Amino acid sequence: MRKIFMLCLAGALALAAASCKEDKKVVTLQTITVSGQMYEVKSAFYTENPAEEGGEAGFMLGLFPTVLTTIPEEEPSFYVGIEISESLCGKTIDLTKPIVKSGTLEPYLGIIASADGTTIEIDNSEGSIDISVQEADSPLTVTSGSLKVTKNGGDFSVKFFVNLSDGRYIAADWKGTAKKVEIPG
């Protein structure tokens, strides 16, 4: 009887172990990181960008570590923003390589991050990667990085990281609902 019990127990443990392997869960940290500072995302806003002048339609998403009811009028001291064309959504993008035109419209990708009064912008469009710090051109390069953004209405999933040649690191790991806003023109 003891042998039968041990065989049943071994079988149950094997079955439990096999079923646990299938239950892999993707953990989203709900954070943004800029230059070593990590904060939980507490507000998210997005705008729709219509297609114009040969460019694709897309959107801009802003992630903020503070609770906000509307997008700030002045640039906050800490945030991460992503501007991306629709054709790049759902794809894993290697941030070390320039985005290239694959159809009739020009895709675009921009990342902006601010921490401690320093703003870094990465413009990956028109076949080149341009980086500016405090709105001035910079010799910095992207040494590694990837980005994947998905959008379904106002629901987003963002996973990205980028390492710059001066050691700065920018990242976002967030999944949630963003509030749609209009930028006054």
Side-chain angles (χ1 to χ4, degrees):
M1 184 70 164
R2 184 178 167 125
K3 226 180 207 180
I4 293 173
F5 176 74
M6 292 305 280
L7 285 172
C8 288
L9 180 61
L13 288 173
L15 181 61
S19 69
C20 286
K21 288 180 184 173
E22 295 175 18
D23 291 342
K24 284 185 181 178
K25 292 186 178 183
V26 175
V27 177
T28 302
L29 298 175
Q30 304 298 82
T31 59
I32 49 178
T33 305
V34 180
S35 299
Q37 297 178 50
M38 179 187 289
Y39 291 97
E40 179 182 357
V41 175
K42 294 187 178 172
S43 298
F45 299 96
Y46 77 100
T47 62
E48 297 284 347
N49 297 344
E52 54 186 45
E53 297 181 30
E56 292 184 20
F59 59 89
M60 185 183 312
L61 175 67
L63 304 173
F64 304 89
T66 52
V67 176
L68 301 168
T69 56
T70 185
I71 197 160
E73 289 183 26
E74 305 227 352
E75 186 172 40
S77 63
F78 193 95
Y79 74 100
V80 170
I82 301 166
E83 186 173 21
I84 187 168
S85 59
E86 288 177 355
S87 69
L88 300 177
C89 282
K91 298 177 181 176
T92 300
I93 300 163
D94 180 349
L95 296 176
T96 65
K97 298 179 181 173
I99 304 281
V100 292
K101 185 176 179 177
S102 61
T104 58
L105 299 176
E106 192 74 45
Y108 58 87
L109 171 63
I111 297 170
I112 186 166
S114 183
D116 293 333
T118 301
T119 301
I120 302 166
E121 294 181 58
I122 303 169
D123 179 18
N124 187 334
S125 59
E126 300 176 7
S128 68
I129 301 171
D130 299 312
I131 300 174
S132 60
V133 177
Q134 297 302 101
E135 299 183 10
D137 291 341
S138 169
L140 294 174
T141 60
V142 175
T143 58
S144 64
S146 69
L147 174 131
K148 184 173 183 178
V149 176
T150 60
K151 177 183 182 295
N152 183 8
D155 296 330
F156 292 84
S157 174
V158 177
K159 282 197 177 285
F160 92 86
F161 76 95
V162 62
N163 288 302
L164 300 177
S165 55
D166 68 350
R168 293 184 220 208
Y169 176 77
I170 304 165
D173 187 356
W174 180 75
K175 184 176 184 177
T177 302
K179 181 179 178 182
K180 185 176 181 180
V181 294
E182 300 293 326
I183 302 293

